Amino acid sequence: MPASSLLSRRRQGAFTALLLATAACLWAAAPAHAEGPIKRWVDERGMVHYGDALPAKPVRDVKTLPEVPPPSAADEARAAADMARYKAALEPASAPPEPVRPASRPKLAQASAPEDSSCEAQWARYDAAFACLAPYRLVGGGVKPEGFAVCPVLKQPYCRVPPHMVGN
């Protein structure tokens, strides 16, 4: 998985957590505007509803939900610490991370001179470029971006593979 995707997933997760923590803090700090206790009921279509007043239509399975106590000082302190941690996680890094390079990079095979346009020379250059990208390959078949900075990018030759190169 590319580092940029992992970083963006981490940021998405941190953002979601920040959003949930903010919503929880606002919900806990907001005064209750309900006229009475919150009730849960099921309408004639089987849909569950919540509210402080029952509708005029007949409903079933009416339950009164228990009151939620206000958050304790420890809960508020923990929420503030979580919020600070989430904000810090969302701050952009001061410098972009260095690309990871493999310890040993394969040397490109000496192919025929670039002006040699024979089919065999084209396939030799293509095979050398393909081998250069080997340390940068991912499990799903993709290639890490830093591989393209190191290895040449060549299109697959249009001519047939010479018979003596098949199976190498």
PDB file of all heavy atoms in Angstrom, residues 106-135:
ATOM      1  N   PRO A 106      19.178  -3.536  -8.077  1.00  0.00           N
ATOM      2  CA  PRO A 106      19.802  -4.282  -9.163  1.00  0.00           C
ATOM      3  C   PRO A 106      20.311  -3.343 -10.246  1.00  0.00           C
ATOM      4  O   PRO A 106      19.717  -2.319 -10.520  1.00  0.00           O
ATOM      5  CB  PRO A 106      18.683  -5.172  -9.694  1.00  0.00           C
ATOM      6  CG  PRO A 106      17.440  -4.459  -9.314  1.00  0.00           C
ATOM      7  CD  PRO A 106      17.756  -3.754  -8.015  1.00  0.00           C
ATOM      8  N   LYS A 107      21.421  -3.677 -10.811  1.00  0.00           N
ATOM      9  CA  LYS A 107      22.002  -2.902 -11.908  1.00  0.00           C
ATOM     10  C   LYS A 107      21.249  -3.242 -13.185  1.00  0.00           C
ATOM     11  O   LYS A 107      20.879  -4.390 -13.409  1.00  0.00           O
ATOM     12  CB  LYS A 107      23.491  -3.225 -12.074  1.00  0.00           C
ATOM     13  CG  LYS A 107      24.315  -2.934 -10.834  1.00  0.00           C
ATOM     14  CD  LYS A 107      24.436  -1.460 -10.629  1.00  0.00           C
ATOM     15  CE  LYS A 107      25.327  -1.190  -9.422  1.00  0.00           C
ATOM     16  NZ  LYS A 107      25.246   0.136  -8.953  1.00  0.00           N
ATOM     17  N   LEU A 108      21.028  -2.238 -14.009  1.00  0.00           N
ATOM     18  CA  LEU A 108      20.385  -2.488 -15.287  1.00  0.00           C
ATOM     19  C   LEU A 108      21.319  -3.299 -16.168  1.00  0.00           C
ATOM     20  O   LEU A 108      22.511  -3.016 -16.249  1.00  0.00           O
ATOM     21  CB  LEU A 108      20.056  -1.175 -15.989  1.00  0.00           C
ATOM     22  CG  LEU A 108      18.861  -0.412 -15.454  1.00  0.00           C
ATOM     23  CD1 LEU A 108      18.727   0.922 -16.161  1.00  0.00           C
ATOM     24  CD2 LEU A 108      17.606  -1.223 -15.618  1.00  0.00           C
ATOM     25  N   ALA A 109      20.775  -4.301 -16.789  1.00  0.00           N
ATOM     26  CA  ALA A 109      21.579  -5.124 -17.683  1.00  0.00           C
ATOM     27  C   ALA A 109      22.002  -4.288 -18.872  1.00  0.00           C
ATOM     28  O   ALA A 109      21.250  -3.449 -19.352  1.00  0.00           O
ATOM     29  CB  ALA A 109      20.778  -6.337 -18.149  1.00  0.00           C
ATOM     30  N   GLN A 110      23.202  -4.488 -19.332  1.00  0.00           N
ATOM     31  CA  GLN A 110      23.701  -3.755 -20.489  1.00  0.00           C
ATOM     32  C   GLN A 110      23.011  -4.284 -21.736  1.00  0.00           C
ATOM     33  O   GLN A 110      23.294  -5.372 -22.207  1.00  0.00           O
ATOM     34  CB  GLN A 110      25.222  -3.909 -20.604  1.00  0.00           C
ATOM     35  CG  GLN A 110      25.977  -3.206 -19.506  1.00  0.00           C
ATOM     36  CD  GLN A 110      25.779  -1.694 -19.541  1.00  0.00           C
ATOM     37  OE1 GLN A 110      25.596  -1.116 -20.601  1.00  0.00           O
ATOM     38  NE2 GLN A 110      25.793  -1.080 -18.369  1.00  0.00           N
ATOM     39  N   ALA A 111      22.062  -3.535 -22.215  1.00  0.00           N
ATOM     40  CA  ALA A 111      21.334  -3.936 -23.419  1.00  0.00           C
ATOM     41  C   ALA A 111      22.024  -3.298 -24.618  1.00  0.00           C
ATOM     42  O   ALA A 111      22.966  -2.536 -24.486  1.00  0.00           O
ATOM     43  CB  ALA A 111      19.888  -3.483 -23.333  1.00  0.00           C
ATOM     44  N   SER A 112      21.506  -3.608 -25.764  1.00  0.00           N
ATOM     45  CA  SER A 112      22.048  -3.019 -26.980  1.00  0.00           C
ATOM     46  C   SER A 112      21.881  -1.513 -26.930  1.00  0.00           C
ATOM     47  O   SER A 112      21.092  -0.978 -26.150  1.00  0.00           O
ATOM     48  CB  SER A 112      21.320  -3.587 -28.194  1.00  0.00           C
ATOM     49  OG  SER A 112      21.383  -4.985 -28.203  1.00  0.00           O
ATOM     50  N   ALA A 113      22.600  -0.815 -27.711  1.00  0.00           N
ATOM     51  CA  ALA A 113      22.528   0.633 -27.747  1.00  0.00           C
ATOM     52  C   ALA A 113      21.087   1.059 -28.052  1.00  0.00           C
ATOM     53  O   ALA A 113      20.373   0.381 -28.783  1.00  0.00           O
ATOM     54  CB  ALA A 113      23.473   1.163 -28.827  1.00  0.00           C
ATOM     55  N   PRO A 114      20.626   2.214 -27.480  1.00  0.00           N
ATOM     56  CA  PRO A 114      19.241   2.644 -27.684  1.00  0.00           C
ATOM     57  C   PRO A 114      18.865   2.803 -29.154  1.00  0.00           C
ATOM     58  O   PRO A 114      17.727   2.621 -29.520  1.00  0.00           O
ATOM     59  CB  PRO A 114      19.161   3.975 -26.966  1.00  0.00           C
ATOM     60  CG  PRO A 114      20.281   3.962 -25.996  1.00  0.00           C
ATOM     61  CD  PRO A 114      21.344   3.080 -26.568  1.00  0.00           C
ATOM     62  N   GLU A 115      19.818   3.151 -29.987  1.00  0.00           N
ATOM     63  CA  GLU A 115      19.469   3.310 -31.395  1.00  0.00           C
ATOM     64  C   GLU A 115      19.211   1.977 -32.083  1.00  0.00           C
ATOM     65  O   GLU A 115      18.705   1.935 -33.192  1.00  0.00           O
ATOM     66  CB  GLU A 115      20.544   4.095 -32.156  1.00  0.00           C
ATOM     67  CG  GLU A 115      21.936   3.525 -32.057  1.00  0.00           C
ATOM     68  CD  GLU A 115      22.715   4.079 -30.867  1.00  0.00           C
ATOM     69  OE1 GLU A 115      22.210   4.938 -30.130  1.00  0.00           O
ATOM     70  OE2 GLU A 115      23.836   3.623 -30.673  1.00  0.00           O
ATOM     71  N   ASP A 116      19.574   0.869 -31.421  1.00  0.00           N
ATOM     72  CA  ASP A 116      19.304  -0.461 -31.978  1.00  0.00           C
ATOM     73  C   ASP A 116      17.813  -0.729 -31.809  1.00  0.00           C
ATOM     74  O   ASP A 116      17.325  -0.890 -30.703  1.00  0.00           O
ATOM     75  CB  ASP A 116      20.142  -1.516 -31.250  1.00  0.00           C
ATOM     76  CG  ASP A 116      19.998  -2.892 -31.869  1.00  0.00           C
ATOM     77  OD1 ASP A 116      19.218  -3.031 -32.824  1.00  0.00           O
ATOM     78  OD2 ASP A 116      20.655  -3.827 -31.385  1.00  0.00           O
ATOM     79  N   SER A 117      17.069  -0.746 -32.888  1.00  0.00           N
ATOM     80  CA  SER A 117      15.618  -0.918 -32.809  1.00  0.00           C
ATOM     81  C   SER A 117      15.188  -2.331 -33.168  1.00  0.00           C
ATOM     82  O   SER A 117      14.007  -2.561 -33.406  1.00  0.00           O
ATOM     83  CB  SER A 117      14.925   0.086 -33.726  1.00  0.00           C
ATOM     84  OG  SER A 117      15.319  -0.149 -35.064  1.00  0.00           O
ATOM     85  N   SER A 118      16.125  -3.270 -33.142  1.00  0.00           N
ATOM     86  CA  SER A 118      15.735  -4.643 -33.433  1.00  0.00           C
ATOM     87  C   SER A 118      14.819  -5.153 -32.325  1.00  0.00           C
ATOM     88  O   SER A 118      14.833  -4.655 -31.199  1.00  0.00           O
ATOM     89  CB  SER A 118      16.972  -5.537 -33.551  1.00  0.00           C
ATOM     90  OG  SER A 118      17.564  -5.690 -32.279  1.00  0.00           O
ATOM     91  N   CYS A 119      14.023  -6.125 -32.653  1.00  0.00           N
ATOM     92  CA  CYS A 119      13.072  -6.683 -31.691  1.00  0.00           C
ATOM     93  C   CYS A 119      13.804  -7.221 -30.463  1.00  0.00           C
ATOM     94  O   CYS A 119      13.389  -7.001 -29.336  1.00  0.00           O
ATOM     95  CB  CYS A 119      12.251  -7.773 -32.374  1.00  0.00           C
ATOM     96  SG  CYS A 119      10.885  -8.355 -31.354  1.00  0.00           S
ATOM     97  N   GLU A 120      14.896  -7.897 -30.668  1.00  0.00           N
ATOM     98  CA  GLU A 120      15.652  -8.475 -29.567  1.00  0.00           C
ATOM     99  C   GLU A 120      16.182  -7.373 -28.640  1.00  0.00           C
ATOM    100  O   GLU A 120      16.125  -7.509 -27.416  1.00  0.00           O
ATOM    101  CB  GLU A 120      16.803  -9.316 -30.116  1.00  0.00           C
ATOM    102  CG  GLU A 120      17.543 -10.068 -29.032  1.00  0.00           C
ATOM    103  CD  GLU A 120      18.561 -11.047 -29.600  1.00  0.00           C
ATOM    104  OE1 GLU A 120      18.425 -11.453 -30.761  1.00  0.00           O
ATOM    105  OE2 GLU A 120      19.476 -11.401 -28.855  1.00  0.00           O
ATOM    106  N   ALA A 121      16.657  -6.273 -29.192  1.00  0.00           N
ATOM    107  CA  ALA A 121      17.172  -5.169 -28.375  1.00  0.00           C
ATOM    108  C   ALA A 121      16.040  -4.512 -27.588  1.00  0.00           C
ATOM    109  O   ALA A 121      16.212  -4.154 -26.419  1.00  0.00           O
ATOM    110  CB  ALA A 121      17.873  -4.152 -29.269  1.00  0.00           C
ATOM    111  N   GLN A 122      14.878  -4.344 -28.216  1.00  0.00           N
ATOM    112  CA  GLN A 122      13.735  -3.757 -27.514  1.00  0.00           C
ATOM    113  C   GLN A 122      13.335  -4.614 -26.328  1.00  0.00           C
ATOM    114  O   GLN A 122      13.085  -4.107 -25.232  1.00  0.00           O
ATOM    115  CB  GLN A 122      12.551  -3.609 -28.473  1.00  0.00           C
ATOM    116  CG  GLN A 122      12.725  -2.550 -29.525  1.00  0.00           C
ATOM    117  CD  GLN A 122      11.520  -2.499 -30.449  1.00  0.00           C
ATOM    118  OE1 GLN A 122      10.397  -2.765 -30.021  1.00  0.00           O
ATOM    119  NE2 GLN A 122      11.759  -2.176 -31.712  1.00  0.00           N
ATOM    120  N   TRP A 123      13.269  -5.931 -26.534  1.00  0.00           N
ATOM    121  CA  TRP A 123      12.891  -6.831 -25.447  1.00  0.00           C
ATOM    122  C   TRP A 123      13.961  -6.877 -24.369  1.00  0.00           C
ATOM    123  O   TRP A 123      13.648  -6.984 -23.182  1.00  0.00           O
ATOM    124  CB  TRP A 123      12.591  -8.235 -25.977  1.00  0.00           C
ATOM    125  CG  TRP A 123      11.193  -8.336 -26.482  1.00  0.00           C
ATOM    126  CD1 TRP A 123      10.783  -8.331 -27.770  1.00  0.00           C
ATOM    127  CD2 TRP A 123      10.007  -8.403 -25.679  1.00  0.00           C
ATOM    128  NE1 TRP A 123       9.411  -8.405 -27.842  1.00  0.00           N
ATOM    129  CE2 TRP A 123       8.905  -8.454 -26.556  1.00  0.00           C
ATOM    130  CE3 TRP A 123       9.756  -8.421 -24.317  1.00  0.00           C
ATOM    131  CZ2 TRP A 123       7.597  -8.518 -26.120  1.00  0.00           C
ATOM    132  CZ3 TRP A 123       8.444  -8.503 -23.880  1.00  0.00           C
ATOM    133  CH2 TRP A 123       7.383  -8.532 -24.770  1.00  0.00           C
ATOM    134  N   ALA A 124      15.217  -6.772 -24.725  1.00  0.00           N
ATOM    135  CA  ALA A 124      16.286  -6.760 -23.719  1.00  0.00           C
ATOM    136  C   ALA A 124      16.166  -5.522 -22.837  1.00  0.00           C
ATOM    137  O   ALA A 124      16.294  -5.609 -21.599  1.00  0.00           O
ATOM    138  CB  ALA A 124      17.653  -6.815 -24.400  1.00  0.00           C
ATOM    139  N   ARG A 125      15.908  -4.351 -23.430  1.00  0.00           N
ATOM    140  CA  ARG A 125      15.728  -3.123 -22.634  1.00  0.00           C
ATOM    141  C   ARG A 125      14.483  -3.227 -21.760  1.00  0.00           C
ATOM    142  O   ARG A 125      14.490  -2.839 -20.594  1.00  0.00           O
ATOM    143  CB  ARG A 125      15.632  -1.916 -23.572  1.00  0.00           C
ATOM    144  CG  ARG A 125      16.962  -1.511 -24.180  1.00  0.00           C
ATOM    145  CD  ARG A 125      16.886  -0.149 -24.867  1.00  0.00           C
ATOM    146  NE  ARG A 125      15.918  -0.082 -25.951  1.00  0.00           N
ATOM    147  CZ  ARG A 125      16.184  -0.406 -27.217  1.00  0.00           C
ATOM    148  NH1 ARG A 125      17.380  -0.821 -27.559  1.00  0.00           N
ATOM    149  NH2 ARG A 125      15.241  -0.313 -28.134  1.00  0.00           N
ATOM    150  N   TYR A 126      13.405  -3.768 -22.310  1.00  0.00           N
ATOM    151  CA  TYR A 126      12.158  -3.921 -21.548  1.00  0.00           C
ATOM    152  C   TYR A 126      12.364  -4.867 -20.361  1.00  0.00           C
ATOM    153  O   TYR A 126      11.943  -4.580 -19.233  1.00  0.00           O
ATOM    154  CB  TYR A 126      11.045  -4.437 -22.466  1.00  0.00           C
ATOM    155  CG  TYR A 126       9.729  -4.642 -21.747  1.00  0.00           C
ATOM    156  CD1 TYR A 126       8.908  -3.564 -21.446  1.00  0.00           C
ATOM    157  CD2 TYR A 126       9.312  -5.918 -21.368  1.00  0.00           C
ATOM    158  CE1 TYR A 126       7.705  -3.749 -20.785  1.00  0.00           C
ATOM    159  CE2 TYR A 126       8.116  -6.106 -20.719  1.00  0.00           C
ATOM    160  CZ  TYR A 126       7.313  -5.021 -20.426  1.00  0.00           C
ATOM    161  OH  TYR A 126       6.140  -5.210 -19.767  1.00  0.00           O
ATOM    162  N   ASP A 127      13.021  -5.994 -20.597  1.00  0.00           N
ATOM    163  CA  ASP A 127      13.276  -6.958 -19.523  1.00  0.00           C
ATOM    164  C   ASP A 127      14.158  -6.361 -18.437  1.00  0.00           C
ATOM    165  O   ASP A 127      13.967  -6.608 -17.238  1.00  0.00           O
ATOM    166  CB  ASP A 127      13.913  -8.239 -20.071  1.00  0.00           C
ATOM    167  CG  ASP A 127      12.924  -9.088 -20.851  1.00  0.00           C
ATOM    168  OD1 ASP A 127      11.703  -8.879 -20.694  1.00  0.00           O
ATOM    169  OD2 ASP A 127      13.372  -9.974 -21.615  1.00  0.00           O
ATOM    170  N   ALA A 128      15.157  -5.554 -18.831  1.00  0.00           N
ATOM    171  CA  ALA A 128      16.036  -4.918 -17.844  1.00  0.00           C
ATOM    172  C   ALA A 128      15.241  -3.923 -16.991  1.00  0.00           C
ATOM    173  O   ALA A 128      15.411  -3.862 -15.770  1.00  0.00           O
ATOM    174  CB  ALA A 128      17.191  -4.226 -18.553  1.00  0.00           C
ATOM    175  N   ALA A 129      14.373  -3.144 -17.609  1.00  0.00           N
ATOM    176  CA  ALA A 129      13.553  -2.189 -16.857  1.00  0.00           C
ATOM    177  C   ALA A 129      12.582  -2.927 -15.932  1.00  0.00           C
ATOM    178  O   ALA A 129      12.364  -2.526 -14.784  1.00  0.00           O
ATOM    179  CB  ALA A 129      12.785  -1.284 -17.822  1.00  0.00           C
ATOM    180  N   PHE A 130      12.021  -4.030 -16.412  1.00  0.00           N
ATOM    181  CA  PHE A 130      11.102  -4.829 -15.601  1.00  0.00           C
ATOM    182  C   PHE A 130      11.826  -5.393 -14.380  1.00  0.00           C
ATOM    183  O   PHE A 130      11.315  -5.377 -13.267  1.00  0.00           O
ATOM    184  CB  PHE A 130      10.518  -5.956 -16.456  1.00  0.00           C
ATOM    185  CG  PHE A 130       9.374  -6.678 -15.823  1.00  0.00           C
ATOM    186  CD1 PHE A 130       8.093  -6.183 -15.918  1.00  0.00           C
ATOM    187  CD2 PHE A 130       9.583  -7.854 -15.119  1.00  0.00           C
ATOM    188  CE1 PHE A 130       7.027  -6.843 -15.329  1.00  0.00           C
ATOM    189  CE2 PHE A 130       8.525  -8.523 -14.524  1.00  0.00           C
ATOM    190  CZ  PHE A 130       7.246  -8.012 -14.631  1.00  0.00           C
ATOM    191  N   ALA A 131      13.057  -5.882 -14.579  1.00  0.00           N
ATOM    192  CA  ALA A 131      13.845  -6.430 -13.476  1.00  0.00           C
ATOM    193  C   ALA A 131      14.231  -5.339 -12.481  1.00  0.00           C
ATOM    194  O   ALA A 131      14.294  -5.582 -11.273  1.00  0.00           O
ATOM    195  CB  ALA A 131      15.101  -7.120 -14.018  1.00  0.00           C
ATOM    196  N   CYS A 132      14.481  -4.129 -12.975  1.00  0.00           N
ATOM    197  CA  CYS A 132      14.825  -3.018 -12.086  1.00  0.00           C
ATOM    198  C   CYS A 132      13.675  -2.694 -11.131  1.00  0.00           C
ATOM    199  O   CYS A 132      13.895  -2.320  -9.984  1.00  0.00           O
ATOM    200  CB  CYS A 132      15.185  -1.791 -12.929  1.00  0.00           C
ATOM    201  SG  CYS A 132      15.602  -0.330 -11.961  1.00  0.00           S
ATOM    202  N   LEU A 133      12.437  -2.841 -11.590  1.00  0.00           N
ATOM    203  CA  LEU A 133      11.266  -2.529 -10.764  1.00  0.00           C
ATOM    204  C   LEU A 133      10.928  -3.630  -9.761  1.00  0.00           C
ATOM    205  O   LEU A 133      10.061  -3.438  -8.900  1.00  0.00           O
ATOM    206  CB  LEU A 133      10.049  -2.265 -11.657  1.00  0.00           C
ATOM    207  CG  LEU A 133      10.081  -0.956 -12.444  1.00  0.00           C
ATOM    208  CD1 LEU A 133       8.948  -0.922 -13.451  1.00  0.00           C
ATOM    209  CD2 LEU A 133      10.005   0.233 -11.506  1.00  0.00           C
ATOM    210  N   ALA A 134      11.592  -4.783  -9.837  1.00  0.00           N
ATOM    211  CA  ALA A 134      11.249  -5.921  -8.977  1.00  0.00           C
ATOM    212  C   ALA A 134      11.253  -5.577  -7.482  1.00  0.00           C
ATOM    213  O   ALA A 134      10.332  -5.951  -6.758  1.00  0.00           O
ATOM    214  CB  ALA A 134      12.177  -7.098  -9.269  1.00  0.00           C
ATOM    215  N   PRO A 135      12.258  -4.862  -6.945  1.00  0.00           N
ATOM    216  CA  PRO A 135      12.228  -4.564  -5.498  1.00  0.00           C
ATOM    217  C   PRO A 135      11.108  -3.615  -5.093  1.00  0.00           C
ATOM    218  O   PRO A 135      10.832  -3.469  -3.909  1.00  0.00           O
ATOM    219  CB  PRO A 135      13.591  -3.916  -5.222  1.00  0.00           C
ATOM    220  CG  PRO A 135      14.388  -4.017  -6.450  1.00  0.00           C
ATOM    221  CD  PRO A 135      13.498  -4.419  -7.567  1.00  0.00           C
TER     222      PRO A 135
END
